[in-house]
Amino acid sequence: MATTPRLVLGGQIQELRYFGGSLNLRKCNAGSGGDRKRPIQVRMSQSGSSSSRNEDRRNFDVAKYDEERLRLDAEARAHVAAVAIMEQEEESSRPGAWKWTIRKQIWDIMEARNIAQEPRPVHHRIPNFRGAADAASRLARLPEFQAAQCVKVNPDTPQKQVRFLTLSGGKTLLTPQPRLRTGFFSTLRAADLPPEVPVIEACTSAGASKYGTPIGLDAPLKVDLIVIGSVAVDPSTGARLGKGEGFAELEYGMLRYMGAVDDSTLVVTSVHDVQVLEDGSIPTEKLLIHDVPVDVICTPTRTIFTNTTIPKPKGIYWEVLSPQKLEKIRILQVLKSMIEEKTGQKLPSGPHETLPPTAVRKTSWRGKRGGSSSNSRR
């Protein structure tokens, strides 16, 4: 086994064991001499030889990984679609309904004008678009990108070229597992890839899982630039809307907790021009404390500096994190336990999610093309 991150919590060792792209939590005794009063320690152990790591890679089943990823993606989109419909139907009591109105307008336009690219339909995704590579090239010309040594990039399809330019430029790529469901973050460097593996192969979700090195919450990480996917952005304020699941905010919050980023860390998004709204279209007074603004917007034709004054999140806001979301993300459970044991105080929990059963809720947002293409690759 190539990598075993260990989180020592009191008298228990929490092992995040890595199996071909999955991180699974396991508890074992820390030994009879474990002192529960000692300050919490978090350490990352790298076990196994290069031969065992190569064996893990040989045993990694890309087809099975992608099949499972697509299945889970479809479930997540159905869940979010039901939330969107419910919030719009109960608009007077749902403060986030206005966000879904903007998202749907953008998704509809991109499909109607054939700006959208696979995977389609783009509804309830960070939408892939014609010209994504041009937007990535424009992003790569930013002096901040060129000077960066470590770049965090979201795992969505429209930012695949950004991941490629990061790796091929000799930089360290930090990328999360999709929806944080199988682990945390992985780091990749082109120099660490097997010589027979093209860089572009490592830029997919499966490639990052196969060739990436999982990191622990204690990793001595310094992220120089963040690239984030968006559904819509306001050029006058830097306000941004994602696809509505909140993972970009959670990823940012965890990086803030680790000390890997701060207020000065540039946040950049790459989008199509139609995703850039009219000035003032996103009411900043309605944004939530954990919403992440962007400093720079790169489209296929423009580079926009927003000069945002929207405060960036300071970490994870546990009081707005629902128990349902926490239950789905193992690394957040580990982090919450770490903080509670270190401080001796129980962290707050957010309100429970209210969701109608997706089996009986019909969504009209699935588009004319049906579900995701099974051969589409991130």
Side-chain angles (χ1 to χ4, degrees):
M1 202 174 66
T3 308
T4 307
R6 287 181 159 194
L7 307 179
V8 182
L9 307 180
Q12 295 273 313
I13 293 179
Q14 309 277 341
E15 286 192 354
L16 286 169
R17 301 191 66 110
Y18 185 63
F19 295 101
S22 294
L23 287 168
N24 299 312
L25 189 69
R26 190 181 75 171
K27 293 183 179 179
C28 55
N29 292 328
S32 58
D35 181 2
R36 295 187 64 84
K37 295 183 180 180
R38 293 176 61 191
I40 189 169
Q41 297 181 22
V42 185
R43 64 180 179 265
M44 178 83 164
S45 63
Q46 298 287 341
S47 61
S49 63
S50 59
S51 60
S52 65
R53 181 171 298 185
N54 290 335
E55 183 179 356
D56 283 347
R57 288 171 174 171
R58 285 193 297 270
N59 293 334
F60 188 94
D61 190 329
V62 173
K64 182 177 292 186
Y65 175 93
D66 277 335
E67 180 181 1
E68 180 69 358
R69 175 180 63 80
L70 290 168
R71 183 185 69 79
L72 293 172
D73 282 353
E75 289 181 0
R77 289 196 308 277
H79 175 95
V80 175
V83 170
I85 291 175
M86 180 184 65
E87 291 201 352
Q88 287 199 305
E89 289 178 349
E90 303 173 8
E91 184 173 358
S92 60
S93 61
R94 298 287 177 174
W98 64 272
K99 292 184 177 180
W100 291 111
T101 300
I102 294 175
R103 291 181 180 117
K104 185 176 186 299
Q105 288 172 349
I106 296 297
W107 287 325
D108 286 349
I109 288 171
M110 295 183 77
E111 286 290 350
R113 298 184 186 177
N114 206 31
I115 295 168
Q117 294 288 276
E118 294 293 347
R120 296 175 72 175
V122 294
H123 296 78
H124 304 292
R125 307 179 195 267
I126 296 298
N128 194 16
F129 57 91
R130 293 184 182 274
D134 293 329
S137 296
R138 186 172 286 275
L139 188 155
R141 292 197 291 270
L142 292 172
E144 293 85 355
F145 179 88
Q146 294 176 354
Q149 296 182 26
C150 178
V151 181
K152 185 265 184 186
V153 186
N154 58 297
D156 299 281
T157 306
Q159 283 71 47
K160 182 178 179 180
Q161 182 68 8
V162 180
R163 298 192 291 275
F164 174 77
L165 292 172
T166 299
L167 288 174
S168 60
K171 306 176 189 300
T172 297
L173 171 65
L174 178 71
T175 190
Q177 287 296 309
R179 296 184 170 88
L180 298 174
R181 61 190 167 218
T182 58
F184 187 33
F185 290 96
S186 295
T187 59
L188 296 95
R189 295 180 69 251
D192 297 333
L193 296 174
E196 71 277 7
V197 175
V199 171
I200 194 66
E201 184 178 330
C203 299
T204 65
S205 177
S209 293
K210 183 175 182 178
Y211 299 111
T213 300
I215 66 170
L217 289 163
D218 64 326
L221 193 66
K222 171 66 166 64
V223 176
D224 301 303
L225 186 139
I226 292 176
V227 180
I228 193 169
S230 303
V231 173
V233 284
D234 188 323
S236 64
T237 62
R240 162 197 172 271
L241 298 182
K243 62 179 178 285
E245 295 186 80
F247 286 100
E249 288 75 18
L250 290 173
E251 293 160 11
Y252 185 90
M254 283 189 281
L255 290 175
R256 283 296 291 249
Y257 171 82
M258 295 169 65
V261 301
D262 56 29
D263 285 337
S264 67
T265 307
L266 205 71
V267 179
V268 186
T269 192
S270 60
V271 295
H272 193 273
D273 288 276
V274 300
Q275 295 174 259
V276 180
L277 306 175
E278 295 291 330
D279 289 357
S281 295
I282 298 179
T284 56
E285 70 276 7
K286 292 185 178 181
L287 294 177
L288 301 177
I289 192 171
H290 59 270
D291 286 329
V292 180
V294 298
D295 299 291
V296 185
I297 303 167
C298 293
T299 80
T301 65
R302 292 183 288 169
T303 300
I304 303 168
F305 298 90
T306 67
N307 299 312
T308 184
T309 59
I310 300 171
K312 291 176 180 173
K314 303 300 183 185
I316 295 173
Y317 296 93
W318 301 98
E319 65 272 18
V320 298
L321 183 63
S322 73
Q324 290 85 353
K325 178 75 76 175
L326 182 65
E327 184 180 1
K328 294 176 183 176
I329 305 175
R330 182 57 59 86
I331 192 66
L332 277 181
Q333 298 170 33
V334 173
L335 177 57
K336 190 170 189 279
S337 296
M338 286 171 52
I339 296 173
E340 288 179 337
E341 182 153 346
K342 184 176 182 179
T343 62
Q345 297 180 351
K346 185 173 179 60
L347 291 171
S349 296
H352 285 267
E353 296 178 19
T354 303
L355 181 66
T358 56
V360 298
R361 294 302 295 258
K362 301 289 186 179
T363 174
S364 61
W365 288 12
R366 294 184 180 177
K368 298 178 180 179
R369 296 175 59 90
S372 170
S373 171
S374 60
N375 61 0
S376 60
R377 293 279 299 277
R378 282 182 178 172

